[in-house]
């Protein structure tokens, strides 16, 4: 059977794909947020620093004076090793600081509002905070602009560090998600595997509907499986019915043909004619036996699906079979010795009687006249054993197991009517009861021993 891949693997891959996507997304988001947070921290410190400087501006004798407060720079140094630049200017005149520091694109208007800008200074990216204030110099208020700038190495390294941590966590998350996906896939497929196992555990003729609880998604599968088994069971049953019906219909006219042939044989004078009639009777017997055995076999198959067990005394069961065959045995002067134990068995009596009859029939049929057939019973190790031994020719050299196959007859059957179904019937009955049929040629003396083994009840 060629498969179309495993559902479990497909499900795992799908879930792992989703997990990978989510991992990358969360890494990307965390990295972005980390950078934003670092930038905001720097902005806050820059703002505090620039405001502190702006507040120390005062005028002295008509000139703007500035004493750079140490704290304004120390707070910037606290967050990283980044370099700090500053400039204080009025209009185009730089009062102090780095005069080549880039001028903020948006010119700060007064009001103490801090404006931020990003630029480049001596080959490095810098963040600038600018505030402007009016300082009274003499009689006129002069607008003074203070700019504090800092390189962004610290921001970059903090966000790189956090990004790395986020990447590590994302990979861990991904691995956990894949493991859980595989587990989830296996768990959700378990009911399917359970059903498959339940079906394959069944015996070959067990076509009862599956009655286990299944998830809703599997209900259609269960329904169609049960419907299929039902149809299969029906068609097997109708085939068996047909065989039984056909066998029955054949037997009745055969009996008529046999009776007519017997009459003709009695009135026949010609030897050759007599011989022909004898052959005819024999053929009729063979057909009739086959039809009867086919009918019995169909009954066995029909009933073994649903055994009608009831407790019966073993001696009753054997007694019935023996009684049925006593006339046949008497015709050959064969003695039937029965040695029973008082034990009860839980069996389908119709089928068991059929099995016993077939084994006993063989013992009588294949034994020479004036011999004894012994039927003994014993119980040991949870098994009841019914042994039928005769003083006949034994089972021959061929494989014994083959004799229980349908229509298989031995090499010792010349002139003996039979269809090759007797042991098949006996074996099928015993197997349906959880037992088995044992066959052996008796060593030392002539004869066969067929043992019907049943589990004790
Ligand atoms: N007690 C026995 N002694 C010798 N051979 C036997 C004995 N029982 C069975 N066999 C051999 O096993 C073969 C199969 O037996 P089985 O009962 O299945 O078929 P059958 O007796 O030939 O036909 P029928 O269906 O009429 O019983 C027989 O043909 C015979 O060769
Ligand atoms: Mg037989």
């Amino acid at each position: 059977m060629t498969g179309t891949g495993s559902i479990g693997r497909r499900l795992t891959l799908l879930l792992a794909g989703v997990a990978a996507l989510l991992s990358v997304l969360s890494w990307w988001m965390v990295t972005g947020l980390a950078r934003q947070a670092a930038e905001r921290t720097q902005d806050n410190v820059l703002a505090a620093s620039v405001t502190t400087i702006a507040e120390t501006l005062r005028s002295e004798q008509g000139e703007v004076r500035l004493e750079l407060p140490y704290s304004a720079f120390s707070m910037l140094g606290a967050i990283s090793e980044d370099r700090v630049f500053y400039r204080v200017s009025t209009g185009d005149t730089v009062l102090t600081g780095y005069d080549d520091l880039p001028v903020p694109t948006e010119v700060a208007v007064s009001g103490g509002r801090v404006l931020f800008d990003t630029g480049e200074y001596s080959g490095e990216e810098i963040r600038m905070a600018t505030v402007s204030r009016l300082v009274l110099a003499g009689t006129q208020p002069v607008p003074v602009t203070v700019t504090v700038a800092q390189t962004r190495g610290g921001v970059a390294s903090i966000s790189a560090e956090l990004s790395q941590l986020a990447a590590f966590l994302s990979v861990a998350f991904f691995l956990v998600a894949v493991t859980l996906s595989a587990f989830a896939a296996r768990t959700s497929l378990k009911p399917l595997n359970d059903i498959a196992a339940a079906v394959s555990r069944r015996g070959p003729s067990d076509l009862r509907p599956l009655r286990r609880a299944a998830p809703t998604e599997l209900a259609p599968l269960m329904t169609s499986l049960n419907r299929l088994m039902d149809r299969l069971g029906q068609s097997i049953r109708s085939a068996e019915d047909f065989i039984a019906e056909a066998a029955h219909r054949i037997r009745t006219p055969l009996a008529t043909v046999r009776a007519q042939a017997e009459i003709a044989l009695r009135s026949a004078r010609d030897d050759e004619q007599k011989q022909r009639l004898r052959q005819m009777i024999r053929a009729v017997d063979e057909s009739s036996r086959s039809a009867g055995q086919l009918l019995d076999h169909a009954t066995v198959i029909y009933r073994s699906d649903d055994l009608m067990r009831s407790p019966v005394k073993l001696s009753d069961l054997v007694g019935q079979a023996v009684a049925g065959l006593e006339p046949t045995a008497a015709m050959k002067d064969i003695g039937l010795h029965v040695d029973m134990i008082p034990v009860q068995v839980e069996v389908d009596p119709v089928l068991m009687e059929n099995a016993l009859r077939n084994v006993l029939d063989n013992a009588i049929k294949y034994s020479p006249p004036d011999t004894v057939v012994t039927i003994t019973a014993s119980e040991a190790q949870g098994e009841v054993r019914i042994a039928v031994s005769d003083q006949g020719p034994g089972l021959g050299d061929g494989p014994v197991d083959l004799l229980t196959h349908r229509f298989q007859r031995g090499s010792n059957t010349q002139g003996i009517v039979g269809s090759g179904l007797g042991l098949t019937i006996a074996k099928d009955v015993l197997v349906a009861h959880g037992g088995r049929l044992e066959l052996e040629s008796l060593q030392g003396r002539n004869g066969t021993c067929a043992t019907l083994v049943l589990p004790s009840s």
Side-chain angles (χ1 to χ4, degrees), residues 289 293 362 366 390 394 409-410 412-413 418-423 448:
R289 173 74 182 168
Q293 291 289 77
N362 282 348
Y366 297 108
D390 60 46
R409 304 199 70 198
N412 53 357
T413 54
S419 65
L421 277 173
L423 293 181
T448 305

Side-chain angles (χ1 to χ4, degrees), residues 58-98:
R58 63 200 149 76
S59 76
E60 227 171 63
Q61 289 143 16
E63 269 182 44
V64 178
R65 285 260 173 193
L66 167 72
E67 248 170 61
L68 278 178
Y70 171 73
S71 62
F73 296 107
S74 70
M75 65 174 96
L76 281 166
I79 47 166
S80 69
E81 305 275 282
D82 280 317
R83 289 193 287 152
V84 180
F85 315 100
Y86 71 96
R87 182 183 54 212
V88 182
S89 57
T90 76
D92 288 339
T93 332
V94 176
L95 298 178
T96 174
Y98 300 74

Side-chain angles (χ1 to χ4, degrees), residues 122-204:
S122 65
E124 268 184 273
E125 198 193 4
I126 52 166
R127 183 71 170 167
M128 297 177 286
T130 307
V131 75
S132 101
R133 233 191 99 190
L134 289 176
V135 180
L136 214 61
T139 51
Q140 269 189 327
V142 186
V144 181
T145 308
V146 182
T147 302
V148 176
Q150 192 181 27
T151 53
R152 310 195 89 181
V155 169
S157 81
I158 288 177
S159 45
E161 210 172 286
L162 286 175
S163 164
Q164 209 177 340
L165 186 67
F168 175 74
L169 287 177
S170 296
V171 169
F173 165 76
F174 173 71
L175 291 179
V176 171
V178 168
T179 316
L180 289 179
S181 307
F183 177 71
R186 181 132 28 104
T187 315
S188 45
L189 286 177
K190 191 173 176 297
L192 199 60
N193 293 334
D194 285 352
I195 291 177
V199 173
S200 52
R201 257 199 312 271
R202 292 187 158 207

Side-chain angles (χ1 to χ4, degrees), residues 285-321:
D285 283 347
E286 293 266 1
S287 310
S288 179
R289 173 74 182 168
S290 292
Q293 291 289 77
L294 278 171
L295 190 68
D296 280 356
H297 192 233
T299 312
V300 170
I301 291 181
Y302 194 85
R303 287 179 75 127
S304 48
D305 269 354
D306 199 4
L307 285 180
M308 293 179 215
R309 289 181 190 257
S310 57
V312 270
K313 279 196 210 146
L314 191 62
S315 51
D316 287 355
L317 212 58
V318 173
Q320 237 173 329

Side-chain angles (χ1 to χ4, degrees), residues 354-426:
N354 204 330
L356 270 167
R357 187 160 21 89
N358 271 293
V359 171
L360 212 52
D361 175 70
N362 282 348
I364 296 166
K365 189 159 73 171
Y366 297 108
S367 290
D370 267 324
T371 51
V372 170
V373 170
T374 320
I375 305 134
T376 55
S378 61
E379 188 179 17
Q381 289 158 349
E383 285 178 348
V384 174
R385 302 172 64 90
I386 309 146
V388 178
S389 27
D390 60 46
Q391 298 168 340
L395 294 168
D397 301 329
V400 172
D401 279 351
L402 218 62
L403 298 176
T404 59
H405 290 191
R406 278 185 192 202
F407 307 113
Q408 282 291 334
R409 304 199 70 198
S411 50
N412 53 357
T413 54
Q414 284 90 355
I416 301 173
V417 171
S419 65
L421 277 173
L423 293 181
T424 315
I425 293 172

